[in-house]
Amino acid sequence: MYGVRLRKYAPCPMRRSNPSNLPAELNRFVGRDDEMRELRGLLTRFRLVTVVGVGGVGKSRLVLRAAATTEKRYCDGVRLAELAPLRDSGLLEQAVLDALGLTDHTRRSPREVLAEHLAGRRMLLVLDGFEHLVDECADLVRELLRRSPGLTVLAAARCPLRLDGEAVLPLAPLPDDDAVRLFTDRAAAVLPGARTPDGGPAEGGPADDASVRELCRRLDGIPLALELAAGRLPVLTAAQMLHRLDDRFRLLTGGTRGAPPRHQTLRTAIGWSHELCTPRERLLWARLSVFPGPFDLEAVEYVCGGPDLPADEVLDAVAGLVDRSVLVREETPAGVRHRMLDTVRAYGAEWLVALGDRERMRRRHRDWYMGLASWCELEWFSPRQAEVAVCAAGALPHLRAALELCLEDPEEAHLAQHLAATLWFCWVGCGRLAEGRHWLDRAVAADRGHDEARLRALWVLGYVAILQGDDTAALAALYECREGAARTGNALAGAYTTHRLGCLALLSDDMPRAEELLTRALSVYRELGELNSQVLMGQVELAMAKVFLGDAETAVALCREVREVCEDRGERWTRAYALYVLAYSAWTRGAYGEARELLGECIAVDHAFNDLVGLVLAVELLALVTAAEGDPAEAAVLQGTAVPMWEAVGLPLFGSGYFGAPRALCAQRAGEELGAERFRSCLAEGGALTLDAAVARALSGRPPLDRVPPGRVPPRRARPW
């Protein structure tokens, strides 16, 4: 039982995976010494610890600090799943998968993948902000703890999970002295000259004012309220803030009936921050509440602008909200973004409802991100492909909100079909098959009255289902799409359907059927003038069928053409698959150096796009090349690195027949030269590497040994082994 206390804890001798994804602290951690000691002690005795308290009391900061200071206890590191932005309970497991850095292409449920991944690991999983998903989260945590004896869960929310064996730590506001210390520290950050050379608050600064202690007492020591108050010091003294709390915001102190007094006080603190804003800043604050995640300025200008807030004044309003600590500026892989704390966003949302403008703003938000998705799809076939991948990943909270809004109204479900299909590159090219399947299934089930959007969603659904190994669902979607395309005369939808059926035949080892279907689809693409990453992928898939059938010359010609087009357009994702086929052909000719060079580029690109399908195929072919070069030990290590990749991709999908042949031949060659025991040892060495370490090992470019045996080039026949 997971609630049993842990009597003794031995530190881990080494790490086997990414240590953590905890965010760096942006300012000093102040106070909470007693709570920190108690929390760290609970983590040595319990496998589930939940810190609870009112909004703004500092739960998240405390658990993140505790996780960072206990990280060395966990061999497999600490991973943070921030659940506050998640609104769809159906994506809970996927959100935890994302936090763990896992990608899965199989038909297994995300929960099953999580349980299998965590089963043999000693890890601390931090769950933050799940109060709106408490029942679903409790069910997930219960199962993970039962199936993963080395897992510890540290949670932060406004309510506990109420599971057997859960240790609950209620977090109270800061005591008076710590509250003053926190206020003074934050004040020194916003007031020029308020810090001494050693970084502490200057003598005679804000902390010396008796009004500060009274203000901290009136704000009940709630950290968020104190930090908001400190942010007002450039324009108001502590005494002036006390006056405003007494007079101008008396109506805000009541709160809702039955609300805890401290929650009412927090509302007051946010309320007077709201009052200090200009009218346009308040309006922007309310409208920004429709953004569930970090956002950029262009999105704000489109969604929030209007006659009462001209676009050219939005920048100043954003700057004002940043100055008042309502917005937080952060650097992301996609560039500078701004975000709101959840409590601040909730306050703005209430004002937006009071203004009667919530639904209009939600639709403007949806329209912007539908446009962004269309732009991303177009730019995917361009030199900006990597930028598109980063952009889409950063926009996921907004794209989810857009999809959810479309699905709320049956009259707009066709928009969900259009959006879910437009994002095919995100689901397939960026390793998010499970989430793509979630939205495509819902969208297809919601509407049957819009042929064009539905047909597109159907063939994308078929594509995703094929890559998950769900042939039944894939065939159902593709057959419906084929019938609809014939009925409506939609030749393009028919071509994509034929293409995907050819892909299914390819993965089913039916090479003649794959060759026939892919050739037919490519012919229609040419007639219609269709050219994009998917069309080129169809040409690569045809080349795969050709090379597996022994026609290496045609396969090479097809892939060289793809490579030229990709280089002209700046496309990298499809190009990586073309390089795989060219490397395969080079291996059959005994051109091992050429094959290694091609595979190195292929692996780098697949890893950058988180495409585990392409990555694992390339790594296993590289292992075979390495064995042929005369280094069976390194070949076995490389083959071992592929084992955890296959766990995510699904071995039955690509693991037998033609695609599995490099693995079988490498195992035979390396096993014969190393012996069974050494071969297993090398496999285990590779399997213990993290994904990043495995890729680095593959790209290390170890030179072949001096004694390279003659290459055993297989004869040409239907199956080149």
Side-chain angles (χ1 to χ4, degrees):
M1 182 176 175
Y2 61 81
V4 175
R5 296 191 177 198
L6 306 178
R7 298 182 180 276
K8 194 171 183 180
Y9 198 101
C12 295
M14 61 177 293
R15 291 191 189 283
R16 293 189 290 118
S17 61
N18 286 339
S20 85
N21 63 341
L22 300 178
E25 292 186 328
L26 300 179
N27 48 30
R28 282 206 314 149
F29 185 85
V30 177
R32 301 291 193 197
D33 294 340
D34 293 340
E35 292 93 335
M36 183 63 66
R37 278 192 294 270
E38 183 177 1
L39 180 54
R40 294 182 65 175
L42 289 173
L43 287 171
T44 66
R45 304 193 305 275
F46 294 87
R47 295 181 54 220
L48 173 59
V49 181
T50 304
V51 177
V52 299
V54 300
V57 79
K59 303 180 294 294
S60 299
R61 189 69 187 267
L62 181 69
V63 300
L64 292 177
R65 180 75 169 186
T69 57
T70 60
E71 183 181 346
K72 292 182 179 179
R73 296 178 179 177
Y74 304 96
C75 299
D76 296 291
V78 179
R79 305 299 291 181
L80 166 66
E82 295 183 280
L83 303 178
L86 191 66
R87 291 294 173 262
D88 187 338
S89 60
L91 293 175
L92 173 62
E93 288 90 348
Q94 186 62 44
V96 180
L97 278 176
D98 290 344
L100 294 176
L102 298 178
T103 302
D104 186 77
H105 292 293
T106 70
R107 295 174 59 185
R108 296 175 298 173
S109 68
R111 179 171 297 198
E112 188 66 24
V113 176
L114 281 172
E116 290 183 12
H117 175 78
L118 295 172
R121 288 172 166 79
R122 185 183 295 175
M123 176 182 291
L124 177 65
L125 175 62
V126 181
L127 302 177
D128 189 22
F130 58 79
E131 43 272 319
H132 57 304
L133 302 168
V134 64
D135 292 335
E136 296 85 349
C137 196
D139 184 62
L140 174 63
V141 169
R142 180 191 296 111
E143 182 170 352
L144 293 181
L145 287 172
R146 283 176 174 171
R147 297 179 61 177
S148 310
L151 176 66
T152 299
V153 175
L154 174 59
R158 301 186 187 189
C159 58
L161 290 167
R162 302 193 185 283
L163 294 174
D164 291 339
E166 180 183 23
V168 178
L169 175 63
L171 190 61
L174 291 169
D176 289 349
D177 289 344
D178 282 346
V180 172
R181 286 175 56 207
L182 176 64
F183 181 89
T184 304
D185 182 83
R186 302 305 190 251
V190 299
L191 288 178
R195 281 196 180 278
T196 61
D198 64 358
E203 185 177 354
D208 288 343
D209 190 341
S211 298
V212 168
R213 186 168 292 275
E214 176 63 12
L215 179 63
C216 293
R217 186 189 67 80
R218 292 287 305 279
L219 294 177
D220 278 347
I222 296 178
L224 176 58
L226 297 170
E227 297 201 1
L228 288 170
R232 305 286 72 76
L233 286 172
V235 292
L236 291 173
T237 65
Q240 288 173 321
M241 283 188 270
L242 279 171
H243 177 72
R244 287 171 177 262
L245 281 174
D246 287 336
D247 298 331
R248 297 189 62 183
F249 296 96
R250 186 169 296 161
L251 290 176
L252 292 176
T253 61
T256 58
R257 182 170 298 173
R262 293 187 183 110
H263 201 169
Q264 298 170 16
T265 305
L266 175 62
R267 181 178 175 82
T268 302
I270 299 175
W272 52 256
S273 290
H274 185 265
E275 182 68 12
L276 289 173
C277 295
T278 66
R280 282 180 173 165
E281 289 169 353
R282 292 179 215 156
L283 179 61
L284 180 60
W285 183 345
R287 291 179 175 177
L288 287 173
S289 67
V290 300
F291 288 85
F295 45 80
D296 60 20
L297 182 62
E298 289 78 9
V300 175
E301 289 173 335
Y302 175 84
V303 176
C304 302
D308 46 2
L309 186 60
D312 59 355
E313 296 185 14
V314 168
L315 177 60
D316 289 339
V318 168
L321 292 177
V322 172
D323 290 341
R324 289 166 171 76
S325 301
V326 174
L327 291 181
V328 178
R329 181 186 185 276
E330 58 186 14
E331 297 284 346
T332 75
V336 174
R337 296 291 185 269
H338 293 87
R339 64 178 176 86
M340 280 184 173
L341 296 176
D342 290 334
T343 308
V344 174
R345 181 185 298 110
Y347 188 89
E350 292 182 6
W351 278 91
L352 190 61
V353 171
L355 292 171
D357 206 20
R358 179 173 180 266
E359 293 309 311
R360 185 178 74 91
M361 283 293 105
R362 290 182 72 201
R363 279 171 168 72
R364 287 182 66 84
H365 174 272
R366 176 199 64 192
D367 294 346
W368 171 264
Y369 284 99
M370 287 189 71
L372 179 68
S374 297
W375 175 86
C376 285
E377 184 187 28
L378 289 173
E379 291 298 318
W380 181 260
F381 189 48
S382 80
R384 305 179 73 172
Q385 196 172 59
E387 179 184 339
V388 166
V390 172
C391 176
L396 270 177
H398 305 289
L399 294 168
R400 291 165 179 159
L403 285 161
E404 198 65 61
L405 179 60
C406 294
L407 290 168
E408 286 180 9
D409 185 352
E411 296 298 319
E412 295 185 337
H414 65 286
L415 297 178
Q417 294 176 348
H418 172 78
L419 180 53
T422 298
L423 291 169
W424 70 266
F425 64 91
C426 184
W427 315 139
V428 175
C430 301
R432 293 186 173 273
L433 289 177
E435 179 162 357
R437 179 71 181 273
H438 171 86
W439 292 115
L440 287 160
D441 278 339
R442 289 184 61 188
V444 166
D447 179 78
R448 291 182 175 272
H450 295 77
D451 287 329
E452 185 173 351
R454 182 174 182 80
L455 292 177
R456 191 159 188 251
L458 282 169
W459 68 253
V460 174
L461 173 58
Y463 188 14
V464 169
I466 288 169
L467 294 178
Q468 287 187 308
D470 191 351
D471 295 357
T472 302
L475 288 171
L478 293 173
Y479 285 165
E480 182 184 344
C481 188
R482 184 171 64 182
E483 293 171 3
R487 174 173 48 82
T488 61
N490 191 327
L492 188 58
Y496 277 110
T497 303
T498 302
H499 177 178
R500 296 308 163 205
L501 288 170
C503 177
L504 180 58
L506 180 72
L507 298 184
S508 302
D509 284 346
D510 189 349
M511 296 305 156
R513 175 70 171 162
E515 181 182 29
E516 187 267 327
L517 290 170
L518 292 168
T519 300
R520 191 194 313 166
L522 290 169
S523 176
V524 178
Y525 288 149
R526 283 192 293 271
E527 291 175 7
L528 298 175
E530 184 81 350
L531 181 63
N532 53 38
S533 295
Q534 297 198 67
V535 172
L536 293 177
M537 184 63 78
Q539 190 163 329
V540 173
E541 289 162 349
L542 176 59
M544 288 180 178
K546 293 283 190 182
V547 78
F548 289 147
L549 290 170
D551 188 359
E553 183 177 350
T554 301
V556 168
L558 286 168
C559 286
R560 284 177 176 168
E561 181 181 341
V562 169
R563 183 166 65 174
E564 289 175 4
V565 175
C566 288
E567 289 173 351
D568 181 59
R569 297 298 187 103
E571 211 278 0
R572 300 171 62 202
W573 176 65
T574 306
R575 181 174 180 271
Y577 281 89
L579 297 180
Y580 169 81
V581 178
L582 292 172
Y584 185 100
S585 176
W587 170 78
T588 64
R589 302 192 314 271
Y592 305 138
E594 178 186 349
R596 176 177 289 278
E597 183 178 355
L598 291 166
L599 289 170
E601 187 174 353
C602 179
I603 288 169
V605 172
D606 288 331
H607 184 50
F609 285 107
N610 197 33
D611 184 352
L612 288 187
V613 173
L615 180 61
V616 72
L617 291 175
V619 167
E620 287 204 327
L621 183 55
L622 180 62
L624 179 56
V625 169
T626 303
E629 289 176 329
D631 193 347
E634 182 64 14
V637 171
L638 290 174
Q639 186 159 329
T641 67
V643 172
M645 298 183 205
W646 279 123
E647 292 175 358
V649 172
L651 189 61
L653 182 59
F654 291 90
S656 60
Y658 296 93
F659 287 99
R663 177 175 62 259
L665 187 54
C666 180
Q668 177 186 344
R669 291 184 176 181
E672 289 175 355
E673 296 192 41
L674 296 174
E677 184 175 352
R678 176 93 188 281
F679 179 69
R680 285 194 298 269
S681 175
C682 291
L683 281 178
E685 179 185 347
L689 296 175
T690 66
L691 182 62
D692 289 342
V695 170
R697 183 73 171 251
L699 297 179
S700 62
R702 290 193 175 192
L705 301 181
D706 293 336
R707 295 175 284 103
V708 179
R712 289 183 284 178
V713 182
R716 277 194 167 189
R717 54 189 181 188
R719 194 178 287 238
W721 316 111

